[in-house]
Amino acid sequence: MSFCSSMLMKPERTCYEYERKEGSQACPQCKTRYKRVKGSPRVEGDEEEDEIDDLEHEFDYGNIEASSFTQVVGAMPSGRGGHAGSTGSATSSKNDSSSQGLEFPLLTYGEEDVQISYDQHAIIVPPFASQGNGIHQTPAGHQHLVCVHTRSMVPEKDIALYGYGSIAWKERMEEWRKRQNHKLQVVKHQGDNDGELDPDLPMMDEGRQPLSRKLPISSSKISPYRLIIILRLVVLGFFFHYRILHPVPDAYGLWMTSVICEIWFAVSWILDQFPKWYPIERETYLDRLSLRYEKEGRPSELADVDIFVSTVDPMKEPPLITANTVLSILAVDIQLTKSCAMCQMMVQPCLLLKHFQRHPNLLENGFHSREYDEFKVRVNRLVAMAQKVPEDGWTMQDGTPWPGNNVRDHPGMIQLFLGHDGLRDVDGNELPRLVYVSREKRPGFEHHKKAGAMNALVRVSAVLSNAPYLLNVDCDHYINNSKALREAMCFMMDPTSGKKVCYVQFPQRFDGIDRHDRYSNRNVVFFDINMKGLDGLQGPIYVGTGCVFRRQALYGYDAPVRKKPPSKTWTNIASSPPVSQEKLEKRFGQSPVFVASTLRENGGIPDKVNLTSHLKEAMHLISCGYEDKTEWGKEVGWIYGSVTEDILTGFKMHCHGWRSVYCIPKRPAFKGSAPINLSDRLHQVLRWALGSVEIFLSKHCPIWYGYGGGLKGLERFSYINSVVYPWTSIPLLVYCTLPAICLLTGKFIVPEISNYASIIFMALFISIAATGILEMQWGGVGIDDWWRNEQFWVIGGVSSHLFALFQGLLKVLAGVSTNFTVTSKGGDDGEFSELYVFKWTTLLIPPTTLLIINIIGVVVGIADAVNNGYDSWGPLFGKLFFAIWVIMHLYPFLKGLIGKQDRVPTVILIWSILLASIMTLVWVRVNPFVSRDGPILEICGLNCDE
Ligand SMILES: O=c1ccn([C@@H]2O[C@H](COP(=O)(O)OP(=O)(O)O[C@H]3O[C@H](CO)[C@@H](O)[C@H](O)[C@H]3O)[C@@H](O)[C@H]2O)c(=O)[nH]1
Ligand SMILES: [Mn+2]
């Protein structure tokens, strides 16, 4: 099979077409512009011809050597960690491949085998991909995938997959280069003909230039923005000056309450605003990366990357979705070893599925689609089968019971799937190694949810592959751009600035969200505005997925510093100052092999390692007592203590002086799914806010923690903002009830408005709008996204954030703990049916009540004004405006409540109407805000005499 033609097979056409039409319009690798030269045949046309025969053979691994399947299932004692009793047993069975490829029998469920077959790129993790964390690894230069199984996490089951991918390749690169040069010449030649020479042609001396560049936002956009911020600050000064000096005599309470809320809003605005003062964007040069690290005739010097995938609950996280993510990871490598314009191929498993459902004609002659469909059917059949657990639990192929049957109480499990024992593909390249690892779980041992799973993976990968970089993704977060790892390397491996980079965070992008993104699932404002702002300071916060880490940074070390300011030499992080073995074992736990691995600054494992003994060590590393009395989760690895492990983990690194980088490739690097129905979304936001409250109340609270370290001032602001925002729910809730109260009582939060006051109010309003608009401009965010974000800020604020606050306080003060509610990842049942799914939740009560009282307020207010004639319209205007502002923000919520079928569950209606009427009644009776002199009945605004 010829190399270059393989990039032109059908599946790549879609990618190619994308790149040509919507993408960069150039070959993503060599930057050569695709163009159609007048009079000459289309380049693609030419290529189309030799693609044909390859179509049949692309995934023909018929020549793969027979390989073995190793399975290690060890039972660790439930006692404290330590080697004693480590009885990991290794079984190995030969399984000859058929001419069609390899099939690895894994476990038996009744009659059916769960298997991995490489020929179809199918990976099924037993049983139905639900109970493991996985690992996969191979020696340098190739890709590995490891699964680490961490059962019995909340709520029931839990797995994480971990893969190890190398982005290095050798001979193929050379071949590609040759072809590339040839192509370039052709293009150049054609270019000469019509007088345009592509300026992006790679030049050899480019290999010495920086691998990326900061692109500050143009001053025409940023200067007015900053000016407006300053103006807004000044206006705010005048505003408070007026507000504080002008109480409302007949509604003192109302006035006081509103001013307190406004002060809080101003403070939280400042916390949110100033970290956006220096936004930047970045540009990477993948070709320079290649020129620098993939020198002709020499082995590639690009570093290896370990890839972790976490998944917990097979019901909420369908195995097919996890499998797709793993496929996309495998495809990165396949991509990389086959190179050039194939960057979209990796998308296939996931995208194929979706695209094919929408455009059935694509299915017609796609080799992939048939393969993929079979794969999908197989996975789903397994899932269906696995719904019914046999009476005695699952059994292994040899008839012994599967050790993982009890999700809360089981030994650690590690399974090597692929990529060892000399397994090679037709071209003699090593195949990816796939390992599935499941942490030991025992009752009484805290497993620390995802953070615990990640730490187990960090350790297991350290003894099996020890790549210097790690990528972690959620199970639903597939790789959508095969160059993602290379993008990250442009920062990590940059010779001048790379050493200080602890992680490269990619934005989260999503599939399957309703067109209007009703509940602001995409978080565009956060990912395109706030994060760019942080990137200009000390770097984006870590968001839990789509993030490439430097392994050394996860070990809790301070960032290196330049030895002398202009010098190019850096302090050696791991071994300076030299630390004793004891100290290291206190920090990292009792594993000499692991400790030794941490000292290898460039990663990798010693050449001659005994796989079996390392697997035994890995079993020890995933035992549930291993972390006792160590720094894991405190100073090392993913940090424990909050359901939003991500914020804490990134925060600790920034405190150690590291910088992170935000990378937004044109083609999204990763894509995930988000809950699109209201209740799931509110629960997700609840969990995030709960995590923030936990951090706020912990020793890691960024208001107090980490002074004198490496954390920069404005970066701290942003972390403070990310943990205090749930508190804003209280003033927000109060503020949203005010308009209703005002309308019902006829009082207002401001005294009769003077001209001066109205000018200030207008100015404030305009400055708020202007900052928003200018922000949208430099961030490239549309007004609709911005507005959804504003709306959801209010909706989430008065529901999820509020509940999170109470739950968090309960948890910290009274020890009442809450579970991590995993977000359901819908299959692709299309048509956003999920959007209309309605699940009753207490979270819905406050916003529903707010809606009702404000609507009542508006009705009462207008009725009153109609009764009282023209004069009463003037004062009413402010109140109406205020109430409508609230209703407008809650509008998507109202839509969600009503749903598609126009039915609001009666429970909610009854509760809310009850609450609203009680409040209204109580209001009329005991009105604390209104002075008692006036006749009470007048207050309600209705003319009761008639
Ligand atoms: O006990 C648990 C709970 C979750 N997970 C995994 O964590 C990931 C995220 O869970 P999900 O329910 O999808 O939460 P989201 O709110 O969608 O996730 C965002 O927020 C989380 C923090 O709350 C981060 O961990 C995620 O990376 C980030 O995408 C998934 O892969 C899960 O399998 C575990 O491994 N163990
Ligand atoms: Mn998710």
Side-chain angles (χ1 to χ4, degrees):
M1 141 164 91
S2 82
F3 167 71
C4 212
S5 53
S6 71
M7 68 187 234
L8 299 161
M9 296 166 313
K10 277 287 179 285
E12 282 77 65
R13 286 215 71 76
T14 2
C15 120
Y16 167 72
E17 235 116 54
Y18 166 87
E19 214 36 76
R20 190 184 159 82
K21 290 198 189 113
E22 291 157 59
S24 58
Q25 269 119 39
C27 167
Q29 178 68 35
C30 63
K31 293 273 177 353
T32 307
R33 288 259 147 72
Y34 295 133
K35 58 184 149 198
R36 201 175 163 174
V37 183
K38 280 166 264 143
S40 68
R42 291 170 54 188
V43 182
E44 317 92 76
D46 289 341
E47 292 162 346
E48 237 164 280
E49 280 169 42
D50 39 294
E51 84 191 59
I52 295 147
D53 59 351
D54 271 80
L55 241 131
E56 298 292 306
H57 301 294
E58 140 90 323
F59 290 114
D60 188 348
Y61 287 89
N63 291 346
I64 294 172
E65 290 165 33
S67 118
S68 69
F69 162 63
T70 306
Q71 183 175 36
V72 177
V73 176
M76 293 296 294
S78 54
R80 305 272 128 176
H83 275 286
S86 166
T87 55
S89 69
T91 51
S92 164
S93 67
K94 283 262 180 232
N95 178 40
D96 286 350
S97 61
S98 71
S99 61
Q100 277 311 301
L102 291 167
E103 299 226 314
F104 298 93
L106 294 182
L107 296 172
T108 321
Y109 311 143
E111 314 291 290
E112 289 266 356
D113 284 352
V114 182
Q115 33 189 232
I116 281 208
S117 72
Y118 190 69
D119 58 329
Q120 296 184 354
H121 295 203
I123 289 149
I124 302 163
V125 182
F128 74 101
S130 64
Q131 301 89 342
N133 287 339
I135 297 186
H136 124 157
Q137 77 104 261
T138 55
H142 282 281
Q143 182 193 297
H144 322 263
L145 240 181
V146 186
C147 323
V148 176
H149 174 153
T150 59
R151 296 193 113 232
S152 85
M153 291 180 61
V154 186
E156 270 191 300
K157 298 171 180 173
D158 151 288
I159 66 170
L161 290 157
Y162 137 59
Y164 167 71
S166 157
I167 54 170
W169 77 86
K170 306 171 201 166
E171 302 92 328
R172 283 169 173 269
M173 187 60 204
E174 278 166 45
E175 199 177 338
W176 168 74
R177 229 177 256 285
K178 267 188 235 148
R179 293 201 170 253
Q180 225 34 52
N181 284 341
H182 172 73
K183 266 178 91 182
L184 281 181
Q185 276 158 14
V186 175
V187 175
K188 237 184 197 162
H189 183 66
Q190 292 169 341
D192 285 340
N193 283 351
D194 55 5
E196 328 162 29
L197 198 75
D198 194 318
D200 282 335
L201 292 182
M203 287 170 291
M204 283 321 276
D205 62 339
E206 277 206 6
R208 299 177 157 270
Q209 293 177 6
L211 304 177
S212 70
R213 187 163 71 102
K214 277 190 197 178
L215 301 170
I217 307 287
S218 73
S219 62
S220 66
K221 282 181 180 164
I222 206 71
S223 304
Y225 173 65
R226 289 181 181 152
L227 187 73
I228 287 288
I229 294 176
I230 298 296
L231 277 178
R232 182 164 162 186
L233 211 57
V234 172
V235 172
L236 213 57
F238 282 106
F239 174 80
F240 281 117
H241 177 256
Y242 171 83
R243 287 290 274 143
I244 291 168
L245 293 185
H246 294 81
V248 185
D250 63 343
Y252 200 78
L254 273 183
W255 166 80
M256 184 72 128
T257 316
S258 58
V259 170
I260 291 172
C261 293
E262 283 156 9
I263 290 174
W264 179 263
F265 296 146
V267 171
S268 71
W269 170 66
I270 287 172
L271 287 176
D272 182 57
Q273 186 66 73
F274 285 89
K276 294 185 277 194
W277 190 260
Y278 304 103
I280 56 162
E281 285 172 348
R282 290 173 190 274
E283 192 173 79
T284 52
Y285 305 107
L286 295 177
D287 40 358
R288 291 181 188 168
L289 181 79
S290 171
L291 286 168
R292 176 179 276 270
Y293 293 108
E294 295 165 315
K295 304 244 168 63
E296 280 196 61
R298 274 204 263 154
S300 164
E301 288 156 22
L302 279 179
D304 294 342
V305 181
D306 282 347
I307 300 165
F308 301 170
V309 184
S310 62
T311 172
V312 205
D313 181 337
M315 296 306 157
K316 289 182 166 173
E317 307 186 320
L320 188 60
I321 287 179
T322 309
N324 283 344
T325 302
V326 176
L327 287 182
S328 76
I329 291 167
L330 292 175
V332 168
D333 228 28
I334 288 162
Q335 210 71 120
L336 288 167
T337 50
K338 287 185 179 166
S339 182
C340 200
M342 310 202 301
C343 61
Q344 278 75 21
M345 185 186 134
M346 55 187 343
V347 195
Q348 245 111 94
C350 325
L351 274 200
L352 273 190
L353 181 63
K354 291 205 165 129
H355 273 303
F356 288 169
Q357 284 171 342
R358 295 201 186 122
H359 315 280
N361 54 327
L362 275 178
L363 268 169
E364 230 91 291
N365 41 11
F367 174 85
H368 279 271
S369 61
R370 183 169 51 79
E371 292 292 300
Y372 185 76
D373 271 0
E374 276 169 21
F375 165 71
K376 188 183 148 191
V377 166
R378 264 169 62 195
V379 174
N380 286 336
R381 203 181 52 210
L382 279 169
V383 171
M385 218 157 47
Q387 306 281 332
K388 256 205 276 136
V389 185
E391 242 169 65
D392 315 320
W394 304 108
T395 43
M396 310 276 285
Q397 221 180 17
D398 59 6
T400 55
W402 183 53
N405 279 313
N406 182 340
V407 288
R408 290 197 179 81
D409 190 358
H410 67 81
M413 287 175 277
I414 298 179
Q415 292 174 311
L416 295 191
F417 292 156
L418 293 168
H420 57 287
D421 286 350
L423 181 66
R424 280 167 198 276
D425 70 10
V426 273
D427 298 319
N429 296 314
E430 248 161 315
L431 281 174
R433 179 178 285 181
L434 179 71
V435 188
Y436 172 92
V437 182
S438 160
R439 292 189 278 167
E440 182 189 17
K441 293 285 173 61
R442 299 296 175 197
F445 281 84
E446 175 57 70
H447 53 66
H448 298 293
K449 309 184 184 79
K450 180 180 168 188
M454 289 295 120
N455 286 340
L457 288 170
V458 170
R459 293 193 296 269
V460 175
S461 63
V463 299
L464 294 185
S465 52
N466 201 28
Y469 303 102
L470 325 165
L471 161 70
N472 99 283
V473 285
D474 291 350
C475 60
D476 60 341
H477 215 69
Y478 66 87
I479 305 184
N480 179 59
N481 175 341
S482 68
K483 297 287 185 285
L485 295 178
R486 287 174 168 263
E487 295 274 350
M489 288 309 133
C490 284
F491 301 105
M492 290 291 197
M493 297 184 77
D494 189 289
T496 46
S497 57
K499 282 244 186 308
K500 269 191 103 100
V501 177
C502 54
Y503 58 83
V504 178
Q505 175 69 60
F506 293 85
Q508 287 193 39
R509 304 292 188 209
F510 302 94
D511 274 335
I513 288 177
D514 55 298
R515 191 158 50 88
H516 301 292
D517 192 13
R518 189 189 280 176
Y519 306 120
S520 199
N521 273 297
R522 277 193 283 251
N523 275 322
V524 191
V525 172
F526 173 76
F527 284 114
D528 288 331
I529 295 179
N530 298 58
M531 293 284 263
K532 285 179 189 167
L534 288 174
D535 202 15
L537 305 170
Q538 201 180 345
I541 62 171
Y542 163 50
V543 297
T545 178
C547 186
V548 176
F549 285 95
R550 178 182 304 276
R551 189 182 274 273
Q552 291 288 336
L554 277 167
Y555 290 159
Y557 295 115
D558 283 340
V561 281
R562 284 220 173 88
K563 277 185 180 144
K564 271 182 251 130
S567 130
K568 280 201 172 162
T569 45
W570 295 76
T571 54
N572 183 334
I573 28 179
S575 48
S576 70
V579 198
S580 71
Q581 182 76 8
E582 278 151 78
K583 278 223 174 107
L584 286 173
E585 291 200 357
K586 249 195 124 190
R587 181 187 185 91
F588 294 117
Q590 304 280 318
S591 166
V593 184
F594 177 78
V595 168
S597 80
T598 65
L599 297 173
R600 302 178 128 240
E601 216 176 342
N602 297 319
I605 48 175
D607 281 343
K608 291 228 163 61
V609 290
N610 177 326
L611 185 63
T612 317
S613 80
H614 270 213
L615 282 171
K616 266 196 178 157
E617 193 64 21
M619 289 303 298
H620 170 50
L621 290 165
I622 58 168
S623 61
C624 61
Y626 182 83
E627 293 184 350
D628 284 357
K629 303 204 180 83
T630 67
E631 303 274 278
W632 285 99
K634 301 186 192 101
E635 292 297 324
V636 176
W638 268 256
I639 307 298
Y640 305 150
S642 160
V643 282
T644 47
E645 75 298 328
D646 42 7
I647 295 186
L648 258 186
T649 306
F651 175 61
K652 285 287 254 195
M653 290 184 188
H654 285 138
C655 287
H656 279 292
W658 293 94
R659 102 130 13 248
S660 57
V661 164
Y662 195 43
C663 178
I664 319 180
K666 277 211 187 67
R667 182 184 173 85
F670 302 92
K671 278 191 164 189
S673 65
I676 60 171
N677 73 69
L678 179 60
S679 334
D680 283 352
R681 173 71 169 142
L682 288 178
H683 275 291
Q684 182 186 45
V685 174
L686 168 74
R687 172 156 45 74
W688 292 345
L690 178 60
S692 292
V693 178
E694 286 172 319
I695 300 172
F696 182 90
L697 297 171
S698 77
K699 76 158 193 176
H700 284 124
C701 177
I703 303 175
W704 326 111
Y705 183 83
Y707 285 92
L711 189 66
K712 289 192 182 158
L714 279 179
E715 188 82 15
R716 179 184 296 280
F717 258 48
S718 167
Y719 276 112
I720 294 176
N721 189 34
S722 70
V723 301
V724 301
Y725 76 84
W727 295 86
T728 307
S729 60
I730 295 176
L732 193 62
L733 182 75
V734 171
Y735 214 68
C736 288
T737 44
L738 288 180
I741 294 172
C742 293
L743 283 162
L744 292 172
T745 58
K747 307 292 168 194
F748 202 35
I749 56 173
V750 283
E752 221 166 288
I753 303 175
S754 60
N755 277 348
Y756 172 73
S758 35
I759 290 171
I760 288 178
F761 292 161
M762 287 299 282
L764 185 63
F765 193 80
I766 292 168
S767 70
I768 291 173
T771 24
I773 291 167
L774 293 170
E775 216 162 73
M776 283 186 260
Q777 284 198 334
W778 66 251
V781 170
I783 182 127
D784 44 346
D785 279 318
W786 184 83
W787 173 235
R788 289 285 173 264
N789 188 68
E790 294 291 301
Q791 289 177 314
F792 198 74
W793 171 250
V794 174
I795 297 170
V798 296
S799 56
S800 306
H801 300 175
L802 194 70
F803 281 80
L805 200 58
F806 289 121
Q807 283 188 16
L809 287 169
L810 272 179
K811 191 167 175 177
V812 173
L813 304 178
V816 184
S817 81
T818 24
N819 282 348
F820 186 113
T821 324
V822 181
T823 311
S824 311
K825 282 100 189 151
D828 28 12
D829 31 10
E831 295 312 303
F832 311 116
S833 47
E834 270 283 296
L835 180 62
Y836 306 108
V837 169
F838 189 91
K839 292 175 204 149
W840 149 251
T841 156
T842 353
L843 289 176
L844 302 174
I845 294 178
T848 314
T849 312
L850 278 182
L851 256 175
I852 294 179
I853 59 172
N854 276 292
I855 293 174
I856 293 178
V858 170
V859 173
V860 169
I862 293 178
D864 183 48
V866 168
N867 277 348
N868 295 337
Y870 274 119
D871 288 352
S872 48
W873 283 100
L876 183 69
F877 183 76
K879 295 167 211 163
L880 274 185
F881 179 82
F882 196 13
I884 288 170
W885 177 87
V886 173
I887 295 170
M888 268 164 57
H889 276 82
L890 292 174
Y891 182 65
F893 176 84
L894 180 67
K895 265 171 108 173
L897 266 193
I898 292 169
K900 204 184 194 177
Q901 298 84 7
D902 290 67
R903 62 187 157 87
V904 185
T906 23
V907 230
I908 298 185
L909 254 190
I910 291 170
W911 267 106
S912 306
I913 292 178
L914 214 70
L915 259 169
S917 21
I918 290 173
M919 282 169 67
T920 321
L921 277 177
V922 167
W923 196 254
V924 177
R925 291 271 128 230
V926 232
N927 189 343
F929 291 134
V930 183
S931 52
R932 301 262 141 200
D933 329 335
I936 278 224
L937 283 182
E938 204 187 280
I939 311 167
C940 76
L942 289 169
N943 192 342
C944 302
D945 292 340
E946 289 177 15

